[in-house]
Amino acid sequence: MIDARDIQKKNALLCDLAREKFSVKSRDLGRAMRKIGRRMPKHMHGHAAILVEAEQFAGHPKLRMAVDPAKVDKAYAALHAHFETVDVWDRRKGTILSVLGSISLGLLTLAAAIVIVLRWRGFI
């Protein structure tokens, strides 16, 4: 049988990891995963749903029996391992490079448009 405090501790630890790795400010694992969104794979959201459901069921004496401890432990281990593999610096570097790529594409398009207009007007 699973203890409600054990599940709450696990979910709180995962929320702290989400705060550290994704800068998500939420005390609830479900809300944290919604804020993370597509930055994590879909199957990780499934693992988080298992943990959120287990936390809700663990508070009720009869529903607590429906929680599978092996499934909860597996979901916790998978989420914890994934959070540990997230490299914050690499994510930031990717975001910066993406923004710089968008800006450079815009500048190249603007330069091409200026050249086309100058040629059309006969200045080149």
Side-chain angles (χ1 to χ4, degrees):
M1 184 155 75
I2 246 177
D3 186 27
R5 286 176 291 186
D6 183 40
I7 294 176
Q8 288 173 350
K9 282 183 196 175
K10 288 179 179 182
N11 287 356
L13 178 64
L14 290 173
C15 284
D16 290 341
L17 282 172
R19 185 177 302 117
E20 178 184 324
K21 300 292 183 169
F22 291 98
S23 301
V24 173
K25 295 176 179 82
S26 178
R27 294 188 183 268
D28 182 34
L29 183 61
R31 284 191 192 128
M33 292 302 288
R34 278 194 300 273
K35 287 182 180 180
I36 290 172
R38 288 194 199 173
R39 292 180 282 175
M40 280 187 77
K42 194 172 188 174
H43 64 278
M44 289 298 154
H45 286 276
H47 291 308
I50 291 170
L51 289 169
V52 169
E53 182 181 273
E55 184 177 15
Q56 292 171 350
F57 283 5
H60 193 278
K62 287 188 179 181
L63 291 178
R64 184 181 308 154
M65 304 300 266
V67 176
D68 183 15
K71 200 173 183 182
V72 170
D73 289 338
K74 181 181 175 188
Y76 172 74
L79 271 173
H80 190 271
H82 186 75
F83 275 129
E84 289 296 326
T85 61
V86 172
D87 186 13
V88 178
W89 171 244
D90 188 46
R91 282 188 50 248
R92 287 182 184 152
K93 184 173 66 171
T95 303
I96 291 169
L97 289 175
S98 175
V99 169
L100 290 175
S102 297
I103 290 172
S104 64
L105 179 65
L107 290 175
L108 284 173
T109 305
L110 179 66
I114 289 173
V115 168
I116 289 172
V117 167
L118 288 176
R119 184 164 180 108
W120 180 40
R121 293 283 189 149
F123 293 116
I124 295 180

